[in-house]
Amino acid sequence: MPLSQAQPHSFLRSLFQQLNDLEADFPSLETLQTLGMQAFQVSMDTEKNGTLKLNPCFFEPRPEKGLLQMYPLEPGYVEWDQRESMELSPLPSVQDIMDRAVKKYPPEVAPTLENLRKDDRFDFDMAHDPESLATELDGLVDIHLDAIRLQGPYEDFRLADLKTQRDWDLLPKEDDPPSIQDSPRSKMWELVSYYRYSWADHPRKPHSVLSCLSIVCPTETYPGISTHELCAIVCAMLLRVNHKPFSACHIHPVLVLSYMGNRRARIIQALYDGQTLVLQYSPLWNFAEAETASIEIFVRYRLSEPVGFNTHTLSIR
């Protein structure tokens, strides 16, 4: 393997191992710099149709603010069970579980987890399972993309028709890193939904889009990028340097839609140039809130157009 490809491959594998060895769920900026990464949060540009202030920017989202309202759902297509799945149900509280229990609780029993019976505690834990909640968010965005819409350019129009990406199907290699970590449970993350902009008879682009799921639950105290997300991103970079059409690239811009276990999500732009990994990440969106703004921004970025690089930059360091 040429030196230019061997170096990033070696760096990424070392970085992947170091991240897996980290105990902290939210590493400090100093730790990230020591590992050869830069990470910083970017804000929303309210003057530019509600997009992120990425600089440099390699992914332009759909420009239409109000995209979901511009193309409303086709009422005859959406069955009631699917319509409900396009909205997140409120998570049940302990009191909700107690109120719906088959065997009623005495009124003097306080609504605490410790007071739930075994079967009711199981129901509560299932409803609040972090992995299921993260998966639910990824599915929610896909449902909005795939539903038939009114006022489109043709019959049976879907927002997914606006995509200029295709699935990136990988044939696993022996030295590929695992694209999922499920042990220990507290460190769970998974790469899902890989997309690329390069294929036959189409202008070559080094960009790709993917989603990642993680069990971590960021808070106001710890809102920074998580070890779980970092592992998923570095794994994606390792897969890129190991597989066509990206193995010949020395510049790797990746857009990550990150869905987490407490119905929080964010958008991350990652750039790897063979020397360092630069991450720009959005504020956290709370999908638990009953509004569609957070859904729409993820739909718009899922439909991003690649910018900033062309064919001639594929092999420039």
Side-chain angles (χ1 to χ4, degrees):
M1 179 181 294
L3 182 60
S4 61
Q5 291 189 33
Q7 286 177 334
H9 188 81
S10 175
F11 171 83
L12 289 172
R13 286 203 175 277
S14 174
L15 179 58
F16 189 61
Q17 184 59 56
Q18 292 178 81
L19 288 171
N20 276 289
D21 291 340
L22 280 182
E23 294 185 5
D25 286 341
F26 299 94
S28 66
L29 293 179
E30 291 76 16
T31 298
L32 297 182
Q33 290 173 356
T34 300
L35 294 174
M37 292 181 285
Q38 301 175 41
F40 50 93
Q41 182 172 309
V42 296
S43 59
M44 298 295 294
D45 190 342
T46 56
E47 297 181 358
K48 194 179 177 184
N49 295 327
T51 58
L52 293 171
K53 291 183 177 179
L54 298 169
N55 184 24
C57 175
F58 305 114
F59 298 88
E60 284 286 353
R62 290 293 306 184
E64 303 94 339
K65 190 175 182 180
L67 182 66
L68 300 184
Q69 290 73 35
M70 184 180 302
Y71 300 107
L73 295 169
E74 166 58 65
Y77 168 76
V78 183
E79 301 293 339
W80 283 109
D81 58 345
Q82 183 173 356
R83 181 181 295 276
E84 290 177 358
S85 70
M86 298 186 78
E87 299 177 359
L88 297 176
S89 301
L91 294 177
S93 65
V94 173
Q95 186 66 63
D96 293 332
I97 296 293
M98 295 176 73
D99 290 344
R100 69 180 66 161
V102 175
K103 184 179 179 180
K104 298 303 179 183
Y105 287 81
E108 64 272 14
V109 176
T112 63
L113 286 174
E114 293 75 15
N115 288 334
L116 288 178
R117 302 186 188 99
K118 183 177 180 180
D119 289 348
D120 296 330
R121 178 58 188 265
F122 176 80
D123 290 343
F124 180 91
D125 290 342
M126 286 295 291
H128 291 259
D129 176 60
E131 183 178 357
S132 298
L133 294 178
T135 303
E136 183 183 36
L137 294 184
D138 184 46
L140 180 68
V141 173
D142 283 343
I143 289 172
H144 276 275
L145 285 166
D146 292 336
I148 292 178
R149 302 275 171 171
L150 295 175
Q151 302 177 19
Y154 45 80
E155 189 177 359
D156 294 343
F157 169 74
R158 296 170 170 83
L159 294 179
D161 298 339
L162 301 174
K163 291 189 299 186
T164 59
Q165 313 136 0
R166 292 189 181 180
D167 291 342
W168 182 29
D169 297 320
L170 296 175
L171 294 176
K173 294 183 178 181
E174 185 176 350
D175 57 344
D176 280 347
S179 60
I180 180 173
Q181 176 169 313
D182 52 13
S183 179
R185 173 73 172 168
S186 61
K187 295 293 185 181
M188 177 270 163
W189 58 266
E190 181 179 4
L191 285 179
V192 294
S193 307
Y194 308 77
Y195 300 98
R196 61 178 183 168
Y197 295 90
S198 297
W199 59 87
D201 301 323
H202 190 274
R204 295 178 63 197
K205 294 284 185 180
H207 308 63
S208 59
V209 178
L210 59 88
S211 300
C212 80
L213 314 176
S214 60
I215 203 171
V216 69
C217 298
T219 64
E220 291 184 2
T221 306
Y222 298 103
I225 198 161
S226 70
T227 304
H228 308 62
E229 294 168 299
L230 293 169
C231 286
I233 290 168
V234 175
C235 174
M237 296 298 182
L238 277 168
L239 292 172
R240 285 175 57 97
V241 300
N242 213 24
H243 288 268
K244 295 179 179 179
F246 303 114
S247 55
C249 300
H250 299 299
I251 297 174
H252 298 267
V254 177
L255 187 72
V256 181
L257 307 182
S258 176
Y259 303 108
M260 288 165 275
N262 56 351
R263 283 186 170 173
R264 303 299 195 272
R266 68 172 135 232
I267 298 167
I268 305 169
Q269 179 183 273
L271 179 69
Y272 181 66
D273 64 0
Q275 298 178 352
T276 188
L277 183 62
V278 179
L279 308 169
Q280 300 179 66
Y281 59 94
S282 74
L284 290 168
W285 276 276
N286 183 0
F287 275 73
E289 297 176 355
E291 46 89 15
T292 60
S294 51
I295 298 172
E296 180 178 295
I297 194 69
F298 280 78
V299 169
R300 290 174 61 198
Y301 270 93
R302 174 64 185 80
L303 299 171
S304 289
E305 288 292 329
V307 295
F309 294 124
N310 55 35
T311 305
H312 301 293
T313 62
L314 288 177
S315 58
I316 294 179
R317 294 186 62 83

